Amino acid sequence: MTKFEFEDETYYINGESVYDSHFVAVSADVAVKVIGAYFETIDYKNMSENELVDFVRNIYKLKAYYLCDRVFKYGFGKFGKYDFGRKLASTMTSVYRNVGQPEKAIEFAKDYLGEDDFYSIPLLTSLAAAYCDINAPLTAKKYCDEAYSLQGGGVGYINELSLVYKRIESMLN
């Protein structure tokens, strides 16, 4: 558990949870602000490529989307499109969708898809969701079908791909 001072209050961060000074869980809104502020204090510029990839994924899980974008841009500049960028392509399309920029998510994803035979089920799924966000269900279905084919078909549990298919179905009916 990490102790963190923010706006004259003491907080404790444990994984994805944030507690106040009395060890009571804070609201989601407060948690996002505290976590964002905490990660702002971390010097990520000396991290290795893999450490930076993990860092972006962790701050994404904590919904610090604007910080994700800033750290990604730094890592992209330092490590490049093929190494760093490809590892985080699906994460970043999701980041852009979560900040209300589905068009940017689509542009970003399409820059990676098919390049040097790079296909990613999570990236295709996130791209399909972005097309749902802009009310283009037929295009979304095309990318969902491609992801479904890559995963070998038939998944007997609810995953992100099946949720996007449900969105498409409700849009088409």
Side-chain angles (χ1 to χ4, degrees):
M1 194 170 292
T2 303
K3 182 178 179 180
F4 181 64
E5 301 289 328
F6 175 66
E7 294 183 345
D8 299 322
E9 297 286 336
T10 300
Y11 294 95
Y12 296 92
I13 302 170
N14 186 20
E16 297 178 24
S17 300
V18 177
Y19 304 95
D20 65 15
S21 59
H22 303 290
F23 297 98
V24 175
V26 300
S27 69
D29 291 346
V30 171
V32 167
K33 288 179 187 175
V34 170
I35 288 167
Y38 170 71
F39 279 109
E40 289 281 349
T41 66
I42 295 175
D43 180 13
Y44 55 83
K45 294 185 176 168
N46 293 318
M47 291 181 181
S48 70
E49 179 182 341
N50 288 333
E51 289 171 329
L52 202 56
V53 166
D54 290 342
F55 184 66
V56 170
R57 287 180 177 151
N58 286 332
I59 57 180
Y60 169 78
K61 287 179 197 171
L62 300 170
K63 300 180 180 170
Y65 301 127
Y66 291 104
L67 181 57
C68 275
D69 187 46
R70 190 169 76 235
V71 175
F72 175 79
K73 286 176 180 171
Y74 168 78
F76 187 87
K78 183 174 181 179
F79 299 112
K81 177 179 181 177
Y82 293 102
D83 297 327
F84 186 77
R86 287 170 75 143
K87 291 176 184 175
L88 291 168
S90 63
T91 300
M92 292 310 299
T93 57
S94 187
V95 164
Y96 297 135
R97 288 186 52 246
N98 277 292
V99 297
Q101 297 177 342
E103 294 88 357
K104 188 171 182 177
I106 291 167
E107 178 184 326
F108 184 85
K110 288 179 128 186
D111 192 36
Y112 283 92
L113 281 179
E115 186 175 273
D116 298 329
D117 295 327
F118 176 67
Y119 289 94
S120 158
I121 295 165
L123 182 58
L124 288 164
T125 302
S126 188
L127 178 59
Y131 275 109
C132 285
D133 294 344
I134 64 166
N135 199 27
L138 296 177
T139 304
K141 186 173 182 326
K142 173 184 133 186
Y143 288 107
C144 272
D145 290 345
E146 194 171 340
Y148 183 77
S149 175
L150 281 175
Q151 78 177 14
V155 174
Y157 56 90
I158 295 178
N159 64 9
E160 189 175 353
L161 180 58
S162 65
L163 296 174
V164 177
Y165 268 124
K166 286 180 183 177
R167 273 184 77 189
I168 293 166
E169 184 178 312
S170 69
M171 293 172 81
L172 292 175
N173 291 331

